[in-house]
Amino acid sequence: MNTLNGNTPGQDFIRAIVAEDLRNGRYKEIVTRFPPEPNGFLHIGHAKAILLSYGIAKETGGRFNLRFDDTNPETEDVSYVESIIDTVRWLGADFGDKVYYAADYFADMYRFAEYLIAQGLAYVDSSAEEEIREARGTVTEPGFPTRFRDRTPEENLDLFRRMRAGEFPDGSHVLRAKIDLASKNMLLRDPLLYRVRHAHHYRTGDAWCIYPLYDYAHPIEDAIEGITHSLCTLEFDNNRAVYDWTVEHWQDFVRSEGGTPARPHQYEFARGNLDYTIMSKRKLLQLVQGGLVSGWDDPRMPTIAGYRRRGVSPEAIRAFWERIGVARFNSRVDIGKLEFAIRDDLNHRAPRVLCVLHPLRVVLTNYPQGQTEELEAPYWPHDVPNDGSRPLPFARELFIDRDDFMEDPPKGFFRLSPGGEVRLRYAYVIRCDEVVKDENGEIVELRCSYDPETRGGNTPDGRQVKGTIQWVSAGHSLPCEVRLYDRLFSVPDPEAGEGDFKEHLNPESLVVVQGARIEPGVRDDAPGSRYQFERMGYFCSDIVDSSADQLVFNRTVTLRDTWGKAAQPAKTPAAKKAPASKPAEREPRERTPGRQVARPPEMAAARARYDSELGLAPVEADLLTRDPGFATLFEGTVALGAAPKAVANWIVNVLLVELKERGINEIAFGPAQLADVVRMVEDGTISSAAGKTVVAELTRDGGDPRAIVERRGLRQVSDEAALMPVVEQVVAANAGKVAEYRGGKTALMGFFVGQVMRSTGGTANAERVRELLEARLG
């Protein structure tokens, strides 16, 4: 991405859009933003978004804003705000002296909502959540109005102001935009703008009891701040239609007050998913709360705080995302590329020191008793253009690593063995003369002799000594704890399949070594100091637990990729090479919600197959193949016997709406659970509305669909004896509408069905209800 290191900017497709806008004089200044919700710690994927938005602003001489989308008071906290500010600064993204908050715009958002109501563009809906969900329709069927859609602007304004005044409980009313219930983009079917929440906000206190939803608040925030390019990840692609609708009416609102409105535009790019990692905040929270990691800053966690504690520098994270670049479609990134970037950075940043993990005492029998000499040892190898050295104390008694000695070595073992020689790094060549064991036969000491003519490791007589090992002085070295961190998961995609992702935790992701020894020069270094422990890897002193009296070191990364061979797939017959695809052309500025996006070849092939072989609508095939996770869920569910059209409908119509800003890998269920929901709806066990409720809970918390149905009382009621009393109550309570219906206004049937559904808590069989109502109303 070439965002922060002063390189010539690369022309990824986002930068191409920005460059064209500047050439055409569309904007005088480019303004971007990073808008986190302060409800947790930022992870490595957030770093990509930060660096892209900041990099574009920096390269064009523009402005970059840090803004908190703090519209959800129940989950947000000032501690997260402080952590995010610190993290963004640590990454090197300069947002100036001002931090922006959505909460500071609540009054403006409220005035705009009143404007929309007055213009007939928004209404207060008092329907139950299940009714609203049902009334949105499906991908193949349009939505229908609830009975509150035709309230007058005066009535809506009165209710909205009473919502603001705190007269109503949570969940009693919502404010919805009045857009298009027949739109192919279901997000345009009268989206929610405000909900009632009597919750304390960390910034505004108890001043508000209604809060705007993300799709409404986000474009307003961008417009107020003059954002030109609002960069989002691909899951917000369909939300762009709501974004544009909101911005266009915001412009009218600003003009009505005599102002000059800004016109931000939203653009989407692929999120950054890493192998051997999960990015779901919900699942990361499970690891923290379950005690499977020590906290959000555990060095194994993918949070930026975790990488920071592990010893990764901001420069390494920036270099990694620059190498990866900006793509149009989602994919998983090989974590080896991140580890390479870390090694490459630390090679020039981390001085070399000597540490012995498993000390084995060595006594040099021919070295003078009581004598100590200091050997000059460089901090850097010859190929690193840095200067500096330190004195290493050398004495009669030393420690080497137990792994560097074998009593009966195999062929090719070049370290120390009885009668063999080895070179001590920066010191002398030594020979093992005697092995000392305890009463259990365990080796406790090696008695060796040193060659005083080989100081510095040279052999004046020309003899070959193939092995070189690290060592420390027994009397001068410092005890320390070494934490050997590795990848948190043992498989590349821990969320694939139906099992619990925690089953793939790597049991070797942390090995703690007590009693290691390190050279004494590191004692007074600041916590967080980075080193290369020669022959072992890159390490840093722990910024939380390490002190001069109790040194603790974390392994940042090994010297080379130890996972490479293990990760190699078994050889399979060569597949037929697919024809090269043409480079994706830049699309027009005004894009339609249903536009196709670039996708990898396997997803393009799947899209064509879904269309031609499975009979899915083009929009369904398109949405299911934008992210491999959706395709995997779809195909897995179909493989269990569910009809492809039905599965596509549930994923596109229900799951996509429930996901909101989350990614597909963050759901808590798999194909088996979705197939069960589809079966229950098709056999009449539950209604489609109840099915949506089940999917909503599965998305959030997982579980057994049938257990959810029983626990929540969602089993569908079809029995006439049970339904008819409710039908009679609805008919009796709405005599005026009954007259209108019998007078020819048959569209009111949807109203009557909705009333019965509401009275039965959504458990009535809607088809059976319609039959009974048609018979009753004549």
Side-chain angles (χ1 to χ4, degrees):
M1 287 189 297
N2 297 326
T3 55
L4 296 175
N5 292 338
N7 301 327
T8 302
Q11 279 295 299
D12 56 65
F13 77 98
I14 295 289
R15 285 182 167 82
I17 292 171
V18 173
E20 183 178 327
D21 287 343
L22 288 173
R23 281 195 302 271
N24 295 337
R26 190 174 193 183
Y27 301 109
K28 293 181 180 179
E29 181 187 39
I30 300 301
V31 185
T32 62
R33 86 291 174 267
F34 175 63
E37 183 180 357
N39 63 351
F41 284 69
L42 299 183
H43 57 61
I44 188 73
H46 290 122
K48 177 180 182 178
I50 294 167
L51 298 175
L52 175 61
S53 290
Y54 171 65
I56 288 173
K58 181 174 183 287
E59 292 157 13
T60 60
R63 177 164 53 88
F64 169 72
N65 288 359
L66 172 61
R67 178 219 305 146
F68 289 97
D69 263 328
D70 49 358
T71 61
N72 191 8
E74 294 102 327
T75 61
E76 297 162 352
D77 189 82
V78 68
S79 63
Y80 293 130
V81 171
E82 294 168 350
S83 168
I84 290 170
I85 290 173
D86 178 62
T87 296
V88 175
R89 283 199 172 116
W90 179 80
L91 279 173
D94 182 5
F95 51 84
D97 297 328
K98 184 174 181 179
V99 176
Y100 296 83
Y101 299 86
D104 293 348
Y105 308 138
F106 281 173
D108 296 309
M109 294 178 190
Y110 178 80
R111 286 192 304 110
F112 178 46
E114 287 199 344
Y115 168 84
L116 292 177
I117 293 171
Q119 297 297 313
L121 296 169
Y123 62 99
V124 174
D125 197 334
S126 307
S127 304
E129 182 180 350
E130 291 79 7
E131 287 182 272
I132 294 175
R133 189 178 286 140
E134 179 76 17
R136 281 204 174 102
T138 69
V139 170
T140 57
E141 298 178 356
F144 55 87
T146 66
R147 64 189 184 283
F148 302 109
R149 195 175 195 262
D150 292 330
R151 278 172 167 162
T152 65
E154 292 76 18
E155 185 180 3
N156 285 317
L157 194 57
D158 174 67
L159 283 168
F160 188 56
R161 287 173 175 170
R162 291 166 64 192
M163 288 167 60
R164 167 74 177 90
E167 290 187 26
F168 304 116
D170 291 1
S172 55
H173 305 284
V174 294
L175 183 70
R176 298 178 67 182
K178 185 181 286 188
I179 305 180
D180 183 4
L181 290 173
S183 173
K184 291 183 178 179
N185 184 344
M186 294 193 62
L187 294 179
L188 286 176
R189 297 182 185 179
D190 291 10
L192 274 60
L193 307 181
Y194 269 90
R195 77 282 202 206
V196 179
R197 286 289 184 275
H198 291 270
H200 183 84
H201 191 283
Y202 77 93
R203 187 166 178 84
T204 61
D206 298 316
W208 294 88
C209 60
I210 58 171
Y211 290 93
L213 276 81
Y214 175 85
D215 279 345
Y216 173 74
H218 180 229
I220 296 173
E221 297 155 19
D222 284 349
I224 290 174
E225 294 173 16
I227 302 300
T228 58
H229 297 77
S230 182
L231 307 183
C232 304
T233 45
L234 283 178
E235 60 265 32
F236 292 98
D237 178 63
N238 280 348
N239 303 62
R240 185 177 357 99
V242 182
Y243 184 99
D244 289 341
W245 183 91
T246 305
V247 168
E248 287 162 8
H249 290 293
W250 172 265
Q251 289 182 300
D252 294 338
F253 167 64
V254 172
R255 292 189 191 101
S256 73
E257 295 194 336
T260 303
R263 180 47 168 106
H265 287 81
Q266 177 178 303
Y267 304 94
E268 304 85 26
F269 62 95
R271 36 187 306 168
N273 295 314
L274 284 178
D275 281 346
Y276 298 95
T277 302
I278 58 174
M279 298 290 188
S280 164
K281 190 178 299 181
R282 178 181 58 81
K283 292 180 179 178
L284 293 175
L285 182 61
Q286 289 182 36
L287 298 180
V288 174
Q289 293 181 336
L292 299 171
V293 293
S294 62
W296 286 100
D297 66 343
D298 187 302
R300 295 167 292 177
M301 290 281 274
T303 57
I304 298 176
Y307 282 110
R308 188 175 180 180
R309 186 173 176 184
R310 191 161 173 167
V312 176
S313 72
E315 291 84 357
I317 294 175
R318 298 200 299 256
F320 165 65
W321 284 123
E322 287 171 6
R323 288 188 177 104
I324 299 304
V326 183
R328 291 177 182 265
F329 52 83
N330 287 325
S331 61
R332 297 189 69 84
V333 178
D334 178 8
I335 198 172
K337 294 180 180 179
L338 172 59
E339 292 169 348
F340 173 84
I342 295 170
R343 291 187 192 98
D344 188 55
D345 173 76
L346 291 175
N347 182 45
H348 296 81
R349 187 181 302 278
R352 278 55 171 171
V353 298
L354 302 181
C355 179
V356 173
L357 285 187
H358 308 287
L360 174 60
R361 185 176 296 272
V362 171
V363 177
L364 301 179
T365 56
N366 63 333
Y367 194 87
Q369 290 271 9
Q371 179 174 317
T372 299
E373 61 180 304
E374 289 189 342
L375 305 174
E376 195 69 17
Y379 277 126
W380 309 98
H382 297 302
D383 59 345
V384 176
N386 294 336
D387 297 325
S389 62
R390 80 283 190 190
L392 282 178
F394 186 87
R396 179 183 174 89
E397 295 192 12
L398 312 171
F399 287 126
I400 66 169
D401 200 292
R402 285 185 177 274
D403 291 342
D404 286 331
F405 175 79
M406 290 191 72
E407 194 172 13
D408 185 18
K411 184 177 180 181
F413 182 82
F414 298 124
R415 285 162 284 169
L416 195 59
S417 59
E421 288 187 317
V422 75
R423 181 182 293 104
L424 299 180
R425 183 71 161 151
Y426 308 122
Y428 298 93
V429 172
I430 65 171
R431 183 184 68 245
C432 178
D433 302 317
E434 183 183 354
V435 178
V436 180
K437 301 180 181 181
D438 62 14
E439 61 275 12
N440 298 317
E442 296 293 327
I443 299 173
V444 295
E445 182 179 296
L446 303 179
R447 293 182 179 171
C448 302
S449 54
Y450 88 112
D451 183 349
E453 300 300 318
T454 59
R455 178 168 173 154
N458 298 315
T459 52
D461 59 4
R463 71 183 187 275
Q464 286 193 338
V465 179
K466 293 185 177 180
T468 300
I469 63 175
Q470 75 268 28
W471 58 277
V472 292
S473 167
H476 300 85
S477 60
L478 305 173
C480 61
E481 175 183 307
V482 179
R483 300 170 180 173
L484 302 176
Y485 288 105
D486 206 343
R487 297 175 184 178
L488 185 56
F489 292 95
S490 57
V491 297
D493 187 357
E495 297 169 298
E498 299 182 32
D500 187 343
F501 75 99
K502 295 189 288 294
E503 294 175 357
H504 302 297
L505 284 168
N506 175 17
E508 302 297 319
S509 63
L510 172 59
V511 175
V512 179
V513 179
Q514 303 283 357
R517 309 286 294 197
I518 192 167
E519 63 178 74
V522 304
R523 180 196 298 273
D524 297 322
D525 292 347
S529 295
R530 302 178 180 94
Y531 311 93
Q532 185 194 105
F533 289 1
E534 295 206 40
R535 301 179 61 234
M536 293 169 55
Y538 291 100
F539 292 76
C540 74
S541 55
D542 189 84
I543 58 177
V544 176
D545 296 331
S546 188
S547 65
D549 298 326
Q550 190 172 357
L551 295 170
V552 178
F553 296 96
N554 300 329
R555 183 169 67 188
T556 308
V557 68
T558 55
L559 288 178
R560 58 187 59 84
D561 183 4
T562 58
W563 287 72
K565 291 184 179 180
Q568 291 295 323
K571 291 185 178 181
T572 57
K576 183 178 180 180
K577 186 176 181 181
S581 59
K582 294 181 180 180
E585 297 179 1
R586 182 181 169 192
E587 300 174 29
R589 172 72 60 188
E590 300 302 329
R591 297 167 292 177
T592 59
R595 68 179 177 85
Q596 295 183 26
V597 297
R599 47 179 50 78
E602 62 272 17
M603 287 295 97
R607 185 187 187 283
R609 181 165 55 84
Y610 294 171
D611 191 353
S612 63
E613 297 179 16
L614 301 182
L616 301 189
V619 66
E620 294 172 330
D622 182 59
L623 291 171
L624 287 173
T625 55
R626 291 191 179 191
D627 188 309
F630 287 114
T632 299
L633 178 62
F634 171 72
E635 296 193 8
T637 308
V638 171
L640 293 172
K645 286 288 290 182
V647 177
N649 178 56
W650 281 96
I651 294 177
V652 173
N653 176 29
V654 181
L655 180 57
L656 274 172
V657 175
E658 292 298 334
L659 282 174
K660 297 173 181 157
E661 72 272 15
R662 292 174 291 171
I664 180 62
N665 288 330
E666 298 182 52
I667 64 173
F669 69 93
Q673 290 76 26
L674 182 56
D676 208 9
V677 173
V678 175
R679 280 192 292 268
M680 286 192 289
V681 172
E682 289 182 346
D683 66 19
T685 302
I686 59 175
S687 67
S688 58
K692 293 176 183 178
T693 300
V694 174
V695 170
E697 181 166 331
L698 287 173
T699 303
R700 184 178 63 252
D701 302 319
D704 176 16
R706 294 183 182 270
I708 295 172
V709 168
E710 298 304 326
R711 173 168 47 81
R712 300 189 62 164
L714 298 176
R715 189 173 288 275
Q716 186 164 245
V717 179
S718 300
D719 181 53
E720 180 178 347
L723 293 176
M724 204 60 205
V726 183
V727 170
E728 293 293 351
Q729 290 172 8
V730 169
V731 170
N734 295 278
K737 292 191 182 296
V738 169
E740 291 180 43
Y741 177 84
R742 289 173 172 164
K745 199 172 181 180
T746 56
L748 283 170
M749 179 56 70
F751 164 77
F752 289 115
V753 172
Q755 290 297 294
V756 175
M757 297 299 294
R758 184 178 190 185
S759 297
T760 61
T763 61
N765 183 322
E767 186 175 341
R768 183 63 176 140
V769 168
R770 181 178 292 272
E771 293 174 357
L772 295 173
L773 281 166
E774 287 175 346
R776 176 66 178 81
L777 296 174

